[in-house]
Amino acid sequence: MTSSAVPVSAKQGEEEVTTRAEIERLTRAGKEAMKDDRQDQALFLFKKAFLLSCKLLEGRAKRMCLFNLGAAYVAAGNAKKGLKCFVKCKLMDPEDRNADMHFNIAIAYDHMEEYAKAARFYQKVVSCYSPGQGVCLGDTLLKLGYCSVSLGDTDSAASSFRQAGRAYQGAGRMEDAAVALRESANHAMHGGGSVPRAQVLDTLRECLQMCESIADPSLRGKLLNDVGLHYAELLSFCQAAECFQEALGCSLGQSSSARKRAVLLQNIGAMHNALAQYPESLQYHAEAADMYRDLQGQWQMCEGLGATHFCLGNTEQAISYYKQALTLFGKSKDASSTPRERILSKLKDVTGSKGTLQPSHSLDRNLSPSNKNPNLPKGKLG
């Protein structure tokens, strides 16, 4: 009786099937770990998958595993190792024009703060996407915009943010569109000044249109307040007042803090002051003053009330409020001397009758969204 041996080629085939199945299992588990922000576990799983893929003769699985390993390294905070993985992937197929590969390389450079290189790869990604990939295009343009900000190129940043807003709008992502357009207006205004005022106003109008579709009252209120601040900087006080008023309406019935509502009331009062509507300004400032509990808010309100009373001809009340503002500012331990000097100058105008006090429309910006680049995204997986 003779035993028949399994052919070597058949045995190798079985081992390869088993290896591929294990790679697929590890890859699925790694993606789940990445999704749940278990970065160390994802890195462990993708490393195992990659080591197994090295046993296969065919290189496609190895390339995919190396790609995923690179994304895991970046997500775990080791962008340099991640970049090495992506470069090796690229060398395995130099002709590949995969948008995800370029995106991951850009993210790695972004994490390493090599913004010029990151921007170059983000631009390659933008050229890869079709019009139907609006969300991916918007995400990439947003990242490109923040890279441009880091490089000091605010005009390019404003352009990228505006394109991102329109890409998100085309994809039906109105919240993201509004945020991107707000960023565009902000950097267009505070850049080199080469963006025409009319274009900034157009961008703000587009942002307001997107805000109409935002269901979250908290986000909508923040954006409306911020757009109002931009209108105020452009001396478009009527539009600014409308934005602040609408933002105040968004806070009704919400768990907004008294300070947030006070900020909006103060901003509305400042706009009425700028428009020489002093009784209305006084009403909003007084209502805001009743809500403030912190020293910074209190001295800002007293300064605003002082300016409004002076414009109304109530000299004694103006002096009293300016003095209160100085006292509260001293207690606030604010490191800047600029507010104190400004209040003293206004007080001197009142007490000495040396010239006309200009209506104050200083605004509280504490509701403004941050201009910083939000948390960098994870790399994309294969």
Side-chain angles (χ1 to χ4, degrees):
M1 184 174 178
T2 59
S3 60
S4 58
V6 178
V8 175
S9 58
K11 187 176 181 181
Q12 287 177 337
E14 290 175 5
E15 289 177 352
E16 182 170 333
V17 170
T18 303
T19 300
R20 287 184 182 279
E22 181 62 7
I23 289 172
E24 289 178 7
R25 186 191 70 78
L26 290 166
T27 300
R28 284 196 302 271
K31 289 181 177 180
E32 285 298 315
M34 284 276 280
K35 186 178 178 182
D36 297 337
D37 290 326
R38 293 181 285 117
Q39 314 299 359
D40 290 341
Q41 179 68 8
L43 192 56
F44 171 77
L45 292 165
F46 285 134
K47 275 183 181 178
K48 286 191 70 175
F50 172 67
L51 291 173
L52 281 175
S53 72
C54 293
K55 297 179 180 180
L56 300 176
L57 296 176
E58 183 266 320
R60 185 177 176 184
K62 180 179 178 180
R63 188 168 182 269
M64 181 198 72
C65 290
L66 192 58
F67 181 83
N68 290 338
L69 181 58
Y73 270 125
V74 173
N78 195 335
K80 189 170 288 188
K81 274 196 172 181
L83 182 60
K84 286 181 179 178
C85 292
F86 298 141
V87 171
K88 287 179 180 178
C89 277
K90 192 73 176 158
L91 291 172
M92 292 170 71
D93 187 0
E95 299 302 315
D96 183 35
R97 297 291 182 270
N98 186 285
D100 289 349
M101 175 67 77
H102 289 153
F103 185 84
N104 280 8
I105 292 174
I107 291 298
Y109 278 126
D110 215 336
H111 277 273
M112 294 162 63
E113 299 184 359
E114 294 189 34
Y115 299 116
K117 292 179 180 178
R120 190 167 72 249
F121 277 94
Y122 282 134
Q123 287 164 350
K124 289 183 179 181
V125 178
V126 169
S127 66
C128 290
Y129 286 135
S130 64
Q133 296 174 288
V135 175
C136 293
L137 181 59
D139 289 346
T140 306
L141 285 164
L142 205 64
K143 295 300 168 191
L144 176 58
Y146 285 119
C147 277
S148 297
V149 171
S150 297
L151 291 167
D153 188 355
T154 51
D155 288 349
S156 292
S159 176
S160 293
F161 289 134
R162 196 175 194 196
Q163 291 177 62
R166 289 175 174 173
Y168 284 134
Q169 182 183 358
R173 295 275 287 268
M174 301 309 177
E175 290 186 7
D176 292 327
V179 171
L181 289 167
R182 203 287 311 183
E183 288 285 342
S184 176
N186 177 54
H187 292 288
M189 289 176 62
H190 300 134
S194 62
V195 180
R197 184 176 186 273
Q199 182 176 314
V200 178
L201 289 170
D202 283 343
T203 303
L204 290 174
R205 278 192 290 270
E206 287 182 57
C207 182
L208 287 177
Q209 289 173 359
M210 299 303 102
C211 285
E212 292 175 4
S213 303
I214 296 177
D216 178 4
S218 178
L219 175 60
R220 188 166 179 240
K222 284 182 180 180
L223 284 168
L224 286 166
N225 178 75
D226 217 48
V227 172
L229 292 172
H230 291 320
Y231 272 128
E233 288 182 83
L234 293 168
L235 307 184
S236 299
F237 301 125
C238 289
Q239 291 95 324
E242 289 175 6
C243 289
F244 294 140
Q245 193 74 57
E246 193 174 346
L248 184 64
C250 291
S251 71
L252 298 177
Q254 301 298 314
S255 57
S256 304
S257 67
R259 174 168 176 76
K260 286 184 178 180
R261 291 193 291 275
V263 166
L264 291 166
L265 288 165
Q266 177 183 342
N267 288 350
I268 296 169
M271 292 304 94
H272 282 295
N273 202 350
L275 292 165
Q277 298 167 347
Y278 304 124
E280 292 89 345
S281 175
L282 188 61
Q283 175 188 340
Y284 281 106
H285 277 306
E287 191 175 346
D290 291 338
M291 289 187 173
Y292 272 121
R293 295 294 177 266
D294 61 285
L295 289 173
Q296 181 184 3
Q298 289 173 25
W299 70 253
Q300 287 178 337
M301 282 313 314
C302 287
E303 181 185 2
L305 285 166
T308 303
H309 274 295
F310 182 69
C311 291
L312 287 169
N314 303 329
T315 306
E316 294 302 317
Q317 290 96 323
I319 292 172
S320 174
Y321 276 114
Y322 281 138
K323 286 182 176 179
Q324 288 183 55
L326 286 170
T327 301
L328 291 166
F329 177 75
K331 292 179 180 179
S332 71
K333 299 180 181 179
D334 194 311
S336 172
S337 62
T338 303
R340 178 181 175 82
E341 292 170 0
R342 183 180 66 241
I343 298 168
L344 280 170
S345 176
K346 292 178 180 180
L347 182 59
K348 183 179 179 181
D349 283 340
V350 179
T351 56
S353 298
K354 296 179 181 179
T356 303
L357 179 68
Q358 293 299 316
S360 168
H361 54 271
S362 57
L363 302 169
D364 193 323
R365 298 176 176 272
N366 287 332
L367 290 186
S368 303
S370 169
N371 293 331
K372 294 181 180 180
N373 189 346
N375 292 331
L376 289 167
K378 304 167 189 171
K380 297 186 179 183
L381 298 171

